[in-house]
Amino acid sequence: MIERTYTVVGMACGHCADLVSEELEGVDGVLSVSVEVELDRVTVSSEREPGFAEVRAAVEEAGYELAGPLDAPGFGRPGHPDTGATGTSND
């Protein structure tokens, strides 16, 4: 089983958590979803690594913004395969 934690922007209540959970549970291979509204975190447990685009589409369908996985080394850095970012880093 694979577990990945993401930052989701815009959630404010239990209803928000329910919407995000429902959409993410529809992603192929997802076994469970845990939402921590107060921390803007969503943890997805799955049989296989879901693609970032799949997770983003589900979160956006629920009406929120996916900021990225918290536990993916290099996420958001230029050249990371899930962000589509290109270029080089100056740090």
Side-chain angles (χ1 to χ4, degrees), residues 13-86:
C13 64
H15 180 68
C16 300
D18 292 344
L19 291 171
V20 171
S21 291
E22 183 178 322
E23 291 298 330
L24 286 170
E25 287 168 354
V27 173
D28 186 44
V30 171
L31 302 172
S32 66
V33 177
S34 173
V35 180
E36 297 175 85
V37 173
E38 60 282 347
L39 298 176
D40 296 326
R41 289 186 185 166
V42 175
T43 300
V44 177
S45 299
S46 57
E47 297 173 337
R48 64 167 182 82
E49 180 77 40
F52 182 75
E54 292 176 280
V55 174
R56 179 176 53 211
V59 169
E60 289 176 355
E61 183 66 28
Y64 303 95
E65 180 184 347
L66 184 67
L70 295 173
D71 50 2
F75 181 81
R77 308 270 309 216
H80 190 281
D82 281 341
T83 62
T86 59

